[in-house]
Structures are given as C-alpha cells and as structure tokens.
C-alpha cells in the first residue's frame, strides 16, 4: 500500500511500524497521546503535505490498545469498523448521555469500506469490530461492563482513533484504524500487560501493508 500516512501516539509505536515496512511510500509519524493532540497533529501533517503538493491517499490510526476479552485477546491484531468517542458526552442521573443523545453530533465515525477491505485482505486473521476512543484508559470491571453494554460491537479501546478520523474527514481522505492488543480491558493490572508482544504484532502488521 502506498501514499499512506500511519499516525501513532508515541515514537515506540512508530518505531514498531517502521521496523516492518519495506517501502518508503508509507509515512509514519507520532503526533501525541489522546484525541485532541492526535487530531491537531494529524491535521497539521495533512495540511503541510497538501501545501507541498504531495497529498496523501489515506490515513490510518495505528498503535497498541486494550482488548475486550475474549473477542480481542492480548497479541491480537484489530481492524476497526468504526472509531467511537466512547466518553464524549455528559453524565446524568439516568446514566451517561452520548453526544448523539445530546443532539450535538455523532460519536461513531465509520472507516472507509474500501480501505478496510484492503486491510482485511492483507491481515486475514485480524479481529474486526468497533474500536473505542477514550480519554481515560479503562481500569475497573464496572467501567468495562458499562462500555461493553453501550457498545456491544466493540472489540478494543485506545486513545486516538476518533481524533485521527476527524482530521482525515476534514481533509476528505479515507480513514482506518489498526490496533494490536497489549492488555485486556478491565481492572488495571500492569503485570498482565504484554506491550512487547503488541509491538511485535504491530511490526508484523506493518510488514503485511508493504
């Protein structure tokens, strides 16, 4: 795949992707942690490229994340069907109200169908489903259950996909999200995290992309 911009949160994720790529036609950039930082950083990269006359063909949010057990176990590769801003909304006595329910917009951005088909062909063993974007990583069983109930099609959570999706949409470019799973979503237990395994899987996924 050529003409791609792969956006990560941190340099360690970017390095894992670069280790697997075999072409210079794919650009990898780490632009910051969280939806706001990554949206701003991605939009800047896209604007600079367009100003220089080298518009990208597509944008992929890539990196590691947490997986909903048993749908996306540690070490799995995940492809998003949509990126969902899972905690964008308001609390209320009746429970959480999403941006959609408040009437201020939508929290789910579907990925480009053609780009997803291409990624699925390159990564046939990937788990496919919605990926949640959160500003606070889930660390309790109660929050894990609440997210799973609100988003029954979700397979993973991370902190950047929705922000990258907004930047790509603003530039009129196809968007997708790729994650490799470093930890199960639920009670925070750093001893259960397998970040090295997730980086290895990220390198393997990049090798399949070109």
């Amino acid at each position: 795949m050529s003409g791609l911009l792969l956006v990560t949160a941190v340099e360690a994720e970017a390095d894992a992707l670069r280790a697997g790529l075999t072409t210079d036609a794919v650009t990898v950039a780490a632009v910051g942690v969280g939806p706001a930082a990554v949206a701003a950083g991605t939009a800047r990269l896209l604007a600079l490229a367009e100003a220089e006359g080298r518009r990208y063909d597509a944008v992929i949010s890539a990196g590691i994340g947490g997986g909903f057990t048993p749908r996306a176990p540690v070490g799995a590769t995940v492809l998003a069907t949509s990126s969902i801003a899972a905690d964008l909304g308001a609390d209320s006595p009746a429970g959480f109200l999403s941006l959609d329910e408040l009437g201020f917009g939508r929290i789910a951005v579907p990925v480009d169908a053609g780009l997803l088909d291409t990624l699925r062909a390159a990564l046939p063993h990937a788990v496919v489903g919605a990926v949640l974007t959160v500003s606070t990583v889930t660390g309790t069983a109660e929050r894990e259950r609440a997210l799973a109930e609100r988003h029954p099609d979700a397979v993973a959570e991370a902190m950047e996909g929705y922000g990258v999706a907004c930047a790509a949409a603003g530039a009129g470019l196809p968007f997708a999200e790729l994650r490799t799973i470093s930890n199960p979503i639920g009670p925070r237990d750093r001893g259960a995290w397998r970040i090295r395994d997730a980086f290895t899987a990220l390198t393997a996924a990049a090798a399949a992309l070109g």
Side-chain angles (χ1 to χ4, degrees), residues 28 32 45-46 75 78 87 95 103 124 162 173 205:
V28 183
L45 290 175
L46 295 177
V78 166
D87 51 13
Y162 183 82
L173 292 177

Side-chain angles (χ1 to χ4, degrees), residues 83-156:
S83 295
I84 300 174
D87 51 13
L88 185 57
D91 280 330
S92 81
F96 179 78
L97 298 173
S98 71
L99 200 68
D100 305 63
E101 293 167 312
L102 294 169
F104 296 147
R106 61 176 185 167
I107 61 168
V109 179
V111 306
D112 181 81
L115 184 53
L116 177 58
D117 286 345
T118 299
L119 291 172
R120 293 184 73 171
L123 299 164
H125 300 298
V127 177
V128 180
V131 176
L132 307 183
T133 298
V134 295
S135 295
T136 301
V137 173
T138 299
T140 66
E142 291 78 12
R143 178 175 160 91
E144 185 274 333
R145 284 194 296 269
L147 289 174
E149 288 173 3
R150 289 207 305 268
H151 307 287
D153 60 338
V155 296

